[in-house]
Amino acid sequence: MATNKDAFRDYLQLEKKYSVHTVTAYCNDITSFELFNAAHFDQSNAEQVNYNQIRSWIVSLVDAGVSNTSVNRKMASLKAFYKFLLKTKQIQISPLLKHKALKTQKLLQIPFSEKEVVDVLGMVQSAGDFEGIRNKLIIDLFYTTGIRRAELIGLKIANVDLSNSTVKVLGKRNKERILPILPVIKQQFLFYLKERASLLFIEDWDYLFLTKKGLKLNDSFVYRLINSYFSAVSEKVKKSPHILRHTFATHLLNNGADLNSVKELLGHSSLASTQIYTHSSLSELKSVYKEAHPRGRK
């Protein structure tokens, strides 16, 4: 018999078009809450709880050392669940109606410098085998297109159109966008595809990027790849695929790209999402302004 949680999972996947990763995270949060309720209140049905029970869970999470950011994410999962129950008339009022998110400190995400990117690409250039060629293309594709990690992993051979120098990306909520690729990246694609075709065994044939065993890449593989290379040239705290995407946007803005164009390339639904990348550009702008203005040189 299907449960409300099963229906919620279908709703997220089929109607909201959320990724498998996001749907799993939401449902895992709800399951964790149900387990907490069963242990502390002898009640496993999340549909019948009150806010005091939710608050008890929040306190237990904080006491266990879970960050405010992670707690807020779990609350977002619960909020989405109760919103669904309201929509399907399973409940009359959400127990999270008056809940306020915990305060979090916004951490500045510092992009890589142009030199750091060049140094990494120079480092990986020396490896001319399948993995080296693949890794260089992955790093350069992140840096020159701003593609998300999940989008890169999900790229298929059919998504690459070298005759038009474009790749088709399936973004959040299954929104497609076409990204241009530079001539140097097109050449790297040709090198990689040649090496890829020489693999002895390929299981996930449709997917563009593979391990040397012919399998589709996963999230942790791509994270480790980026973190490993950039750890060799950068002392920045965060070294991830998302920081490379952040670097792409920042460098474009620093070199005169308009915000709306960057928004389209990143696949953002609103300019507000893109504006978080402007802080570094503002820093660059201040430096140029100070050097260029007669009063700034005094």
Side-chain angles (χ1 to χ4, degrees):
M1 180 178 175
T3 65
N4 280 328
K5 195 164 66 174
D6 293 331
F8 178 60
R9 179 186 291 274
D10 291 340
Y11 167 72
L12 294 179
Q13 289 178 328
L14 304 176
E15 289 194 40
K16 302 297 285 184
K17 306 293 185 184
Y18 286 171
S19 69
V20 173
H21 176 77
T22 299
V23 173
T24 300
Y26 272 45
C27 292
N28 284 346
D29 289 337
I30 294 164
T31 299
S32 295
F33 178 54
E34 289 176 336
L35 291 172
F36 173 84
N37 271 331
H40 292 82
F41 299 102
D42 196 26
Q43 178 190 47
S44 60
N45 192 337
E47 293 92 320
Q48 298 174 0
V49 305
N50 56 52
Y51 184 64
N52 286 336
Q53 290 167 269
I54 296 175
R55 184 169 177 78
S56 294
W57 188 42
I58 293 172
V59 171
S60 74
L61 291 170
V62 172
D63 286 346
V66 178
S67 70
N68 285 7
T69 299
S70 294
V71 171
N72 286 341
R73 184 187 62 77
K74 292 177 185 298
M75 290 306 105
S77 300
L78 277 188
K79 193 172 183 178
F81 181 56
Y82 289 122
K83 188 176 180 180
F84 168 75
L85 294 179
L86 281 169
K87 183 176 181 178
T88 55
K89 299 182 178 178
Q90 301 296 310
I91 59 174
Q92 299 301 313
I93 187 169
S94 170
L96 280 167
L97 183 63
K98 295 183 179 180
H99 172 74
K100 292 184 178 180
L102 302 184
K103 290 184 178 180
T104 58
Q105 183 180 3
K106 290 187 177 180
L107 298 176
L108 192 64
Q109 297 193 12
I110 303 173
F112 300 118
S113 67
E114 291 186 34
K115 182 180 184 304
E116 286 171 335
V117 175
V118 169
D119 286 349
V120 163
L121 290 173
M123 182 195 315
V124 72
Q125 180 75 43
S126 59
D129 56 358
F130 167 76
E131 290 184 304
I133 291 170
R134 178 202 62 201
N135 293 353
K136 179 172 172 55
L137 178 56
I138 287 174
I139 294 167
D140 233 342
L141 204 59
F142 273 129
Y143 179 58
T144 60
T145 67
I147 196 171
R148 296 181 178 95
R149 174 169 50 175
E151 293 170 345
L152 179 134
I153 291 171
L155 277 178
K156 296 184 177 180
I157 293 282
N159 298 140
V160 182
D161 184 353
L162 293 182
S163 61
N164 288 312
S165 297
T166 61
V167 291
K168 183 190 293 184
V169 170
L170 188 63
K172 289 185 175 180
R173 303 190 184 184
N174 288 337
K175 290 182 180 177
E176 288 186 348
R177 69 185 188 280
I178 306 295
L179 296 176
I181 56 174
L182 299 171
V184 65
I185 307 302
K186 178 178 177 179
Q187 193 61 45
Q188 286 181 45
F189 264 112
L190 292 172
F191 290 148
Y192 170 70
L193 290 172
K194 181 179 178 181
E195 290 294 324
R196 182 185 180 281
S198 66
L199 290 175
L200 295 177
F201 174 79
I202 295 179
E203 180 171 321
D204 297 318
W205 184 265
D206 290 343
Y207 288 93
L208 176 64
F209 289 112
L210 304 173
T211 67
K212 61 183 179 181
K213 294 182 179 180
L215 302 173
K216 175 187 174 185
L217 305 186
N218 58 49
D219 283 353
S220 59
F221 180 99
V222 177
Y223 174 83
R224 289 195 305 271
L225 186 153
I226 298 301
N227 186 269
S228 174
Y229 278 110
F230 279 90
S231 290
V233 303
S234 177
E235 295 184 357
K236 292 180 174 66
V237 175
K238 297 188 74 173
K239 296 176 280 286
S240 66
H242 182 72
I243 296 298
L244 205 42
R245 173 173 160 87
H246 181 66
T247 301
F248 160 79
T250 302
H251 290 184
L252 277 182
L253 291 166
N254 283 348
N255 286 281
D258 69 276
L259 197 60
N260 199 57
S261 296
V262 176
K263 165 186 168 292
E264 294 300 317
L265 288 168
L266 291 172
H268 286 159
S269 57
S270 70
L271 276 176
S273 300
T274 314
Q275 285 170 337
I276 63 170
Y277 298 104
T278 61
H279 67 83
S280 299
S281 303
L282 181 59
S283 175
E284 181 82 7
L285 186 60
K286 284 179 178 177
S287 176
V288 172
Y289 171 65
K290 185 176 180 181
E291 289 297 317
H293 199 282
R295 295 281 290 171
R297 295 193 293 269
K298 291 183 179 179

